[in-house]
Amino acid sequence: MKRYAPPHPRRLLACAVAAGLLLTGLARAADSVDADVNPADLPEADQTIKAKPDNQWTGWWNRSTLLGDIGGLRSALGRHGVTLGLTESSEYLRNVSGGIQYGGAYQGLSTLTLGLDTQRAGWWDGGSFNVSVLDIHGKPFSADHVGSIQSASGIEADRTTRLWEAWFQQQLNGERLDLKIGQQSLDQEFMASQYGGAFIGTMFGWPAVPSADLPAGGPAYPLSGLGVRLRGKIGDSITLLGGVFAGDPTRDATQNPDSQQLNKHGTTFSTHGGTLFIGELQYGRNLPSNGALESPRPLNGIGGLPGTYKLGFWYLNHKTADTRWDANGQPMAITGADPMLHNGNYSVYAVADQTVWRPAEDSSRTLNVFTRLMGAPGDRNLVSFSANAGVTLTAPFAGRDNDTVGLAFGYVKVGNHAAGNDIDTGVANGNPLYPVRGNETQVEATYIYQLTPWWQWQADVQYVRNVGAGAVSPNDPSQTQRIPNNWVVGLKTNITF
Amino acid sequence: MKLEFPQRKLLAAAATLLALAGGAHAGDAFLAGVKRHTVLTNTVPDNGDQNPYAIVVSPITSGKIKAGDVLVDNFNNAANLQGMGSTIVNYHPDSKNLTLFAEIPRTLAQCPGGVGLSTAMTVLKSGWVIVGSTPSNDGTTDTKGAGCLMVLDTEGKLVDVWSGPDINDPWGNMAVIDNGDKATLFVSNAGFGVGSAKGTPPVINQATVLRLDLEIPAGKPPKIAGRTVVASGFGEQADKGVFLVGPTGLVYGKDDKLYVSDALGNRISEIWDATTRTTSAGVGRTLTHDGLLLRPLALTTTPQGHLLATNGSNGKVVEIDPANGEQLGARWIDANKAQTPPGNGDLFGIAVTPEGDGFYYVTDDNNNLVLAK
């Protein structure tokens, strides 16, 4: 076999420069052709184009996934009803002002998903299995650098590889009714805001109320919980979702302030911590359904703009500690006694997503608004109220159909008993200037740039006012200063393999 | 003037009668009689090709094909790249099975640019299957070839390839007049002068409808006896999302009229003297435009002679009375909310069942063949 000398770096550099000059020249030539010649007058190049056989890397820039068919693997799996998905999210967030500590951190999340369609597998109709695994890498950013209740990233979590979801779903009455059973992450279906999902801040995904108030943050990313979920469609525009889940995805979240460590690999399969009941009513406005008939309308009429509205609740039938009073009705911060216990915990919420403008019915450019409100009793919860609202514009520039720009804010209010506990702490420490927490506001501006169908970049800026709802700064030994208002900048990339 | 009570009653009665008359008219619509949508099969063959485009119901039983079988071709390859699909699958309604009818080589010397099977497909009574190619080497129009028409036998074996300067990306579903030993094909060509989809690609008004007069000797493949451009000047445009947009649907109707769905014009055009004309009728006359139409693609005919057009930019099928161009109504057949508007880019081919009691369609988002009846 003939061997070739490896290319010298200088030779490579010279080649690269030459190629660059050549390409620049070609681009200029093409530009001048474009400017002066009607394309209709150009000879038909298509007649001379030769077909090339496709291979693993054909059309790498244009295809929907980075690895395409993986040399036939996806097709082979697909023949047996198996779908394979792998995504990587990587981000770098940097605190540039205020907060606890300047500096940045990298966080990454790989998600491997395996699905099985029972009908395609040659078994029965309407069934599907789903298993997903997370690999969380990098280092959590918000707790060390910001100190906010509404953390800056939706993917930051303890570094580990863990089983995430593992469930079976069966359609029971065509597309009208379906049942899902197994290990589920509730943020995938409940309380979700379609347009809020564009933002990096975690509370635009799983809201602040359940994150702060449910044991271990509830069965949501990066955790999940065992349970059953039933979904039914009533007519064309109303959907009912209801589920029953284990109350504590970590078995006993009180045993470790970092509850993710109690279920480090997602294999605890907890049935402890009481039972979490959750229900949601969804109403779709101007959202068509298969089979719906439409009458003729005036020429050039634009149909109604779509929106989705949701009302829901959750209830946990487990003893829940008061955030201020001990079992005798005295301030815990002073007595140090065990807390008073309440019968259960609950919350109600509302979510709205509405498109408010689009220039034409088939336009990719849409202006959308969303809001999500959530309340819980203030006597037993760190956060008694949370709100998100925002606006997104898709296709903000010509030719950028899959880009999105958005502005959103998040607000949390600390429960009145938790705030009272701060007063008591000040009294107990003889520090009348000890800060009492109130509320925190987060504002986020973001731009999502779709580089290729499988590669996305996202630039992000966040501002947090009254960080930690006005919590005491850990950098202040006198415990009288609050954490300063804070700015975070970040860059995120998502790749679909 | 304030109306007296009896007058108001009279007006109300008249209004009711008018409403009922309108309701009766709407009841004549084919789409109003469709009750259920049933997913029949996933159309992805073993090689992983995706994006089902053309649908043809076979009129004959021969070789691998039985009368009533539904042939579906694929525009994308396994990596989901457009203009690289090379397979035709066959759904057998009696056994509910899907088999591979043909897998055409990606590279054909006679076909400029190779093979990426388009919506242009038909099965002749004589058993020959004719299918169009709108090929690419990378899934975009940057590497688009002019393509060709290919003739297959009923075993799925390639027997002839037709190309030439008047064939450039045979794109739209064919209208066919089939007399056994002779046939007339109408096929739209949407590739002339179409360039890259980068930036904001221009609309090029060079798309044509080509009439091919075929002679079919007994037991031998069809030969082209005449080629005439019967319509030209339709808009065509490269597109990042859907490869290209151009005239797609063709239906041969009464009074020698050919109906063409002009996707970029958002209208249905009619070409008169379609089988006899020797010159182009340009873009023809507008039968109907806008309203319920949103980038109309494939066309077919209902038993009562109405046109059904699938919308490219949403998941609706629209029914049109060709006698007067009235749009009778629409039905959502793909309401996938993952797109904006729902079902955007999901619909392509459509074919009425042999019994005339419903229609087949494909949903490109999940590669399914669906029956609505």
Side-chain angles (χ1 to χ4, degrees):
Chain A
M1 189 175 71
K2 191 174 178 182
R3 295 177 69 91
Y4 294 92
H8 190 276
R10 247 186 266 167
R11 243 182 294 162
L12 276 177
L13 188 66
C15 285
V17 170
L21 287 171
L22 184 62
L23 285 172
T24 311
L26 284 176
R28 280 196 194 134
D31 285 349
S32 68
V33 166
D34 286 350
D36 301 334
V37 179
N38 182 349
D41 298 331
L42 293 171
E44 286 293 338
D46 328 17
Q47 296 284 355
T48 57
I49 288 177
K50 303 290 182 211
K52 293 178 186 166
D54 51 337
N55 60 44
Q56 166 74 17
W57 300 106
T58 300
W60 176 77
W61 198 250
N62 311 305
R63 58 197 189 195
S64 50
T65 53
L66 169 64
L67 299 177
D69 194 34
I70 321 179
L73 176 64
R74 276 207 171 96
S75 305
L77 291 172
R79 286 197 290 279
H80 299 97
V82 177
T83 52
L84 171 69
L86 179 62
T87 60
E88 166 68 24
S89 296
S90 290
E91 66 189 21
Y92 179 78
L93 297 176
R94 186 169 186 85
N95 176 19
V96 294
S97 171
I100 295 174
Q101 181 189 341
Y102 294 160
Y106 163 84
Q107 299 117 82
L109 169 68
S110 305
T111 308
L112 176 69
T113 309
L114 269 176
L116 175 71
D117 183 318
T118 56
Q119 190 254 334
R120 288 221 76 195
W123 299 339
W124 66 93
D125 286 354
S128 56
F129 290 90
N130 179 285
V131 177
S132 53
V133 175
L134 306 177
D135 183 78
I136 302 162
H137 34 278
K139 198 175 174 195
F141 166 79
S142 296
D144 291 344
H145 293 86
V146 183
S148 56
I149 295 173
Q150 303 169 96
S151 55
S153 161
I155 63 171
E156 65 180 4
D158 289 355
R159 186 187 308 186
T160 185
T161 299
R162 63 164 66 245
L163 174 69
W164 190 27
E165 294 194 291
W167 47 256
F168 168 69
Q169 181 169 297
Q170 179 65 49
Q171 292 182 346
L172 297 173
N173 180 23
E175 295 178 353
R176 289 274 166 197
L177 194 65
D178 64 75
L179 183 75
K180 191 170 168 184
I181 186 164
Q183 182 103 329
Q184 301 169 50
S185 186
L186 297 194
D187 53 341
Q188 300 300 293
E189 291 190 304
F190 290 90
M191 309 176 208
S193 163
Q194 179 189 350
Y195 302 126
F199 296 89
I200 285 180
T202 188
M203 301 313 167
F204 297 106
W206 188 237
V209 163
S211 295
D213 299 345
L214 280 174
Y221 174 88
L223 302 169
S224 58
L226 286 175
V228 179
R229 185 278 280 142
L230 189 65
R231 174 170 55 192
K233 286 186 76 175
I234 303 169
D236 289 336
S237 53
I238 294 177
T239 301
L240 269 173
L241 273 175
V244 181
F245 295 88
D248 184 346
T250 64
R251 212 184 294 275
D252 187 358
T254 61
Q255 297 302 309
N256 190 330
D258 185 354
S259 51
Q260 291 172 36
Q261 293 297 323
L262 297 171
N263 186 4
K264 196 169 181 181
H265 300 293
T267 50
T268 298
F269 303 115
S270 166
T271 56
H272 296 76
T275 306
L276 177 68
F277 300 89
I278 186 165
E280 187 171 297
L281 174 72
Q282 303 177 345
Y283 167 68
R285 182 170 171 267
N286 297 322
L287 283 176
S289 61
N290 280 344
L293 287 166
E294 289 203 356
S295 302
R297 57 170 184 265
L299 295 183
N300 294 320
I302 295 178
L305 297 168
T308 308
Y309 297 83
K310 301 171 181 174
L311 273 176
F313 76 97
W314 55 257
Y315 172 71
L316 176 67
N317 69 352
H318 193 248
K319 295 284 185 189
T320 306
D322 195 284
T323 46
R324 183 175 193 185
W325 305 124
D326 69 11
N328 300 314
Q330 300 300 310
M332 274 188 300
I334 295 172
T335 65
D338 289 341
M340 176 190 290
L341 294 177
H342 296 276
N343 287 323
N345 199 0
Y346 59 90
S347 170
V348 292
Y349 62 90
V351 186
D353 286 281
Q354 178 68 50
T355 297
V356 293
W357 174 76
R358 70 178 172 211
E361 191 169 350
D362 58 345
S363 174
S364 301
R365 184 167 295 166
T366 57
L367 186 67
N368 315 290
V369 295
F370 71 93
T371 187
R372 180 171 53 187
L373 308 172
M374 200 157 184
D379 57 1
R380 69 201 78 175
N381 290 304
L382 171 65
V383 175
S384 60
F385 177 75
S386 69
N388 303 117
V391 57
T392 65
L393 177 67
T394 59
F397 303 109
R400 299 301 317 162
D401 286 0
N402 295 309
D403 289 4
T404 300
V405 60
L407 180 69
F409 89 93
Y411 171 87
V412 296
K413 183 177 183 302
V414 166
N416 57 335
H417 279 211
N421 189 58
D422 292 342
I423 298 172
D424 299 339
T425 303
V427 171
N429 297 340
N431 177 6
L433 297 178
Y434 187 83
V436 176
R437 287 172 294 174
N439 58 65
E440 176 190 272
T441 305
Q442 179 192 37
V443 180
E444 180 177 345
T446 199
Y447 189 97
I448 301 173
Y449 183 86
Q450 193 79 41
L451 183 63
T452 74
W454 48 266
W455 196 359
Q456 199 178 61
W457 285 92
Q458 181 167 12
D460 203 68
V461 179
Q462 298 180 25
Y463 173 73
V464 185
R465 182 186 159 277
N466 220 24
V467 178
V472 62
S473 171
N475 302 322
D476 173 28
S478 71
Q479 297 211 310
T480 59
Q481 301 297 312
R482 299 174 188 270
I483 303 171
N485 295 345
N486 152 269
W487 285 93
V488 169
V489 296
L491 191 62
K492 182 175 183 176
T493 181
N494 296 308
I495 296 175
T496 305
F497 293 94
Chain B
M1 186 182 73
K2 195 175 177 184
L3 295 175
E4 295 300 316
F5 181 68
Q7 283 173 293
R8 267 188 278 167
K9 275 178 107 175
L10 199 62
L11 275 177
T16 307
L17 276 174
L18 281 172
L20 284 173
H25 181 70
D28 294 339
F30 176 79
L31 291 176
V34 173
K35 303 296 178 202
R36 274 183 74 86
H37 299 200
T38 308
V39 175
L40 299 174
T41 185
N42 188 282
T43 57
V44 177
D46 281 358
N47 78 343
D49 275 3
Q50 302 173 51
N51 207 1
Y53 257 30
I55 304 177
V56 174
V57 179
S58 172
I60 52 106
T61 298
S62 173
K64 288 183 180 176
I65 305 173
K66 281 176 70 174
D69 281 0
V70 185
L71 267 62
V72 180
D73 71 10
N74 291 296
F75 186 53
N76 292 20
N77 69 356
N80 211 15
L81 292 172
Q82 303 184 92
M84 298 183 80
S86 57
T87 48
I88 303 171
V89 293
N90 188 359
Y91 175 74
H92 310 276
D94 47 359
S95 65
K96 299 184 177 176
N97 286 331
L98 184 86
T99 57
L100 180 71
F101 169 68
E103 183 166 4
I104 303 169
R106 256 283 301 158
T107 54
L108 286 177
Q110 313 95 309
C111 189
V115 170
L117 300 181
S118 71
T119 326
M121 185 164 73
T122 190
V123 180
L124 298 175
K125 290 175 186 168
S126 46
W128 303 103
V129 177
I130 301 173
V131 62
S133 171
T134 299
S136 167
N137 279 331
D138 66 352
T140 76
T141 53
D142 289 3
T143 57
K144 177 188 77 60
C148 59
L149 288 162
M150 292 163 284
V151 184
L152 312 173
D153 64 18
T154 50
E155 295 293 336
K157 187 182 161 207
L158 184 71
V159 295
D160 201 0
V161 178
W162 301 333
S163 60
D166 54 359
I167 292 178
N168 194 315
D169 296 340
W171 180 243
N173 62 314
M174 293 183 199
V176 181
I177 306 164
D178 190 352
N179 296 315
D181 58 346
K182 287 181 188 295
T184 302
L185 304 184
F186 295 96
V187 62
S188 68
N189 290 277
F192 295 105
V194 168
S196 170
K198 288 181 184 129
T200 307
V203 173
I204 312 288
N205 293 313
Q206 292 188 41
T208 65
V209 178
L210 179 67
R211 185 182 72 214
L212 295 173
D213 299 308
L214 305 183
E215 288 184 350
I216 311 164
K220 292 190 175 173
K223 293 289 172 200
I224 298 174
R227 320 163 69 121
T228 310
V229 173
V230 297
S232 56
F234 289 105
E236 50 184 18
Q237 186 177 32
D239 189 281
K240 280 191 280 289
V242 298
F243 196 72
L244 63 79
V245 186
T248 306
L250 296 166
V251 155
Y252 183 69
K254 284 183 182 173
D255 304 324
D256 202 22
K257 282 181 185 165
L258 179 74
Y259 299 100
V260 184
S261 64
D262 177 5
L264 286 169
N266 203 35
R267 68 194 187 109
I268 309 296
S269 177
E270 60 180 33
I271 309 297
W272 59 102
D273 300 333
T275 60
T276 57
R277 68 169 40 256
T278 56
T279 57
S280 166
V283 294
R285 292 188 284 248
T286 297
L287 173 70
T288 183
H289 66 97
D290 298 326
L292 292 163
L293 296 174
L294 203 63
R295 190 172 281 184
L297 299 181
L299 280 181
T300 192
T301 329
T302 69
Q304 62 263 60
H306 295 164
L307 301 175
L308 295 181
T310 54
N311 275 344
S313 293
N314 65 24
K316 290 182 199 172
V317 58
V318 182
E319 183 170 358
I320 299 150
D321 185 348
N324 52 18
E326 184 185 358
Q327 296 180 13
L328 302 173
R331 187 179 179 91
W332 282 95
I333 56 175
D334 188 323
N336 188 343
K337 297 168 187 68
Q339 290 89 33
T340 306
N344 184 1
D346 289 349
L347 296 180
F348 233 97
I350 187 169
V352 169
T353 60
E355 299 79 18
D357 57 351
F359 59 91
Y360 295 105
Y361 65 99
V362 282
T363 50
D364 290 354
D365 50 336
N366 48 24
N367 300 296
N368 283 338
L369 175 68
V370 188
L371 172 63
K373 65 183 278 190

